[in-house]
Amino acid sequence: MYQENKPFDVSPYDHPDIYPGPRPASSFLFWKGRAHRIQAEKGMPVERQSIHFTNVDHMLGSLAFQSTHVKKVEKFFKEGRFHSKVPVVAYGSNVCLAQLQYKFRLRPEEDDFMLCLKGTVTDSDIVYAPFLAPYGSLPAVIAPVKGAVCEVWLTFMDKKQLELINSTEKGYELRVHEGEKVRLDTGEVFENVYAYYEPRALLWNGEMRRFKDISGHSPLQSVWQSEMLNELKLAVDHKGTREEFIHLLRWDRSYRDFVEDFLKDDCTYAFDHPDWKVAETILSIGEMKRSF
C-alpha cells in the first residue's frame, strides 16, 4: 500500500493508492515533462515570479536538482501569452507530476507548458467522492466546510489545454468562484477562478472525509486513499485479497458498477456549494481584475 512518501514517478493510473498524488513542496512550471521550481515571493504578481531551470533530465527538475539559470515568468512567456491563460483550481491529481505526464501524453501535440502555484481556499475542503475513477480510486471533490482552510493550486492553462483537461474530468462541471476565498501563497487574488465541481461527497460513518495528502485546517478526519479502499472492501464484503479487489475495481465494469451502486445508495451526501457558481463565460487573466 502507498501512504507516506508516495513515489513521484507513479500516477493514480498506475495504482489507485497514489491518488491524489504527492504534492510538490513549492510552486512550479511543468514543461517538457519536467518540473521547474518557482520562487514564489509574497506581494509580487505571477508574471514577475522567478522560475529556476536545470539541465538535469529528470521529472523533478529543479525541485530536486540545482538550478543552472533563472528567468522571470514574463520573460519566459511569449508576448501576451500569459494574459490569455485561464486560472483553474487544481485540488486532486492535476498537480501530481506523473499524472500530468500521463494526461499530456494523451495528446502529444499539445504543449504541456503549465504554471502551477500553491495557494489556499477558505470555507472549502477537499474530500472523497462517492464514486470511482476508472483506475479504481475514490477521487476528490471540493465541498463546503465552514472555517476550513485547505491547500489548493492555481494552474494557468490556455484554451486548448483546458479542452484536454476537460476530457479527463468526465462527470465534473467547470464552475467559477468570484470571491476572495482562493488566494495564492504570494497573497495574489484573481477576480475569477475556475474549478471542476461535483455536488456529491462520500458520507462515511456519518461524516465526510478529507485526503491525508492535502494539507489544511479542517474539522474533518484525514485518511489515506489506501485506508478508504480497505474500508470499502470490508463494507461491500469482498472475500478476496486486497489486490483482487483493486483489480476488479479497475478492470471489471460490472463489479465496479456494483460498488458504485453501493456508494450511491448508502454513502452519498448531496450539497450545493454557495461559493462555486455556474460559469456562464470563461475569462482569461487579461480580462479580469487582480489584487493583493
Side-chain angles (χ1 to χ4, degrees):
M1 295 190 299
Y2 293 102
Q3 292 186 349
E4 292 94 349
N5 302 316
K6 293 180 179 180
F8 274 89
D9 58 348
V10 179
S11 84
Y13 285 100
D14 301 311
H15 196 288
D17 285 354
I18 295 293
Y19 191 95
R23 331 304 275 175
S26 71
S27 299
F28 64 96
L29 165 68
F30 188 76
W31 185 48
K32 295 185 177 179
R34 287 186 286 170
H36 307 273
R37 179 172 59 88
I38 293 177
Q39 184 178 325
E41 297 186 28
K42 290 188 179 296
M44 187 176 292
V46 173
E47 58 266 46
R48 292 179 58 196
Q49 302 291 344
S50 298
I51 309 171
H52 291 253
F53 295 90
T54 180
N55 292 329
V56 177
D57 187 14
H58 190 283
M59 181 196 300
L60 291 176
S62 59
L63 291 176
F65 299 92
Q66 185 174 3
S67 61
T68 56
H69 57 288
V70 180
K71 284 187 178 181
K72 298 288 186 184
V73 170
E74 61 189 351
K75 296 294 184 182
F76 194 72
F77 275 97
K78 295 177 182 176
E79 185 176 353
R81 191 176 177 191
F82 175 73
H83 289 93
S84 68
K85 297 282 187 178
V86 177
V88 180
V89 174
Y91 58 82
S93 64
N94 284 341
V95 288
C96 170
L97 300 182
Q99 192 85 323
L100 287 173
Q101 275 196 340
Y102 178 88
K103 289 189 176 186
F104 280 106
R105 284 172 180 168
L106 295 174
R107 294 188 190 175
E109 72 279 4
E110 299 294 347
D111 190 355
D112 67 355
F113 192 104
M114 186 185 295
L115 285 170
C116 304
L117 277 85
K118 290 181 74 171
T120 57
V121 60
T122 303
D123 293 332
S124 292
D125 206 353
I126 311 307
V127 302
Y128 285 87
F131 50 86
L132 294 164
Y135 39 82
S137 301
L138 288 161
V141 295
I142 187 165
V145 179
K146 194 69 175 176
V149 180
C150 185
E151 175 192 291
V152 292
W153 297 67
L154 273 189
T155 56
F156 297 87
M157 293 183 261
D158 61 32
K159 298 296 175 66
K160 286 188 176 181
Q161 290 172 327
L162 194 58
E163 289 175 6
L164 169 60
I165 302 300
N166 285 347
S167 72
T168 68
E169 300 290 347
K170 298 296 186 184
Y172 289 78
E173 176 188 6
L174 196 64
R175 290 236 179 161
V176 62
H177 173 52
E178 298 174 337
E180 294 189 355
K181 294 184 179 180
V182 178
R183 182 178 295 269
L184 292 178
D185 286 354
T186 61
E188 191 167 13
V189 173
F190 290 80
E191 179 184 8
N192 284 10
V193 296
Y194 302 87
Y196 291 100
Y197 179 83
E198 164 60 54
R200 296 176 296 158
L202 179 73
L203 196 66
W204 201 258
N205 297 329
E207 68 172 11
M208 295 185 290
R209 289 189 174 180
R210 69 186 310 277
F211 291 83
K212 205 160 188 173
D213 312 65
I214 302 173
S215 64
H217 303 284
S218 172
L220 301 182
Q221 180 183 356
S222 298
V223 297
W224 297 106
Q225 176 79 220
S226 60
E227 294 172 330
M228 283 307 312
L229 291 177
N230 288 347
E231 293 190 37
L232 182 59
K233 176 180 179 296
L234 291 174
V236 298
D237 197 29
H238 181 75
K239 301 300 185 184
T241 66
R242 184 177 195 273
E243 289 72 22
E244 290 168 340
F245 177 64
I246 288 175
H247 181 83
L248 289 172
L249 294 182
R250 288 166 63 89
W251 303 112
D252 188 323
R253 183 54 190 259
S254 63
Y255 187 76
R256 191 164 83 234
D257 287 345
F258 157 71
V259 174
E260 289 202 308
D261 285 343
F262 165 76
L263 293 170
K264 179 181 178 181
D265 294 339
D266 298 338
C267 309
T268 296
Y269 166 59
F271 59 82
D272 180 21
H273 200 314
D275 295 339
W276 295 92
K277 309 296 185 182
V278 174
E280 301 292 345
T281 58
I282 307 296
L283 299 181
S284 63
I285 292 171
E287 299 171 306
M288 66 177 70
K289 297 177 183 178
R290 300 156 64 182
S291 62
F292 283 91

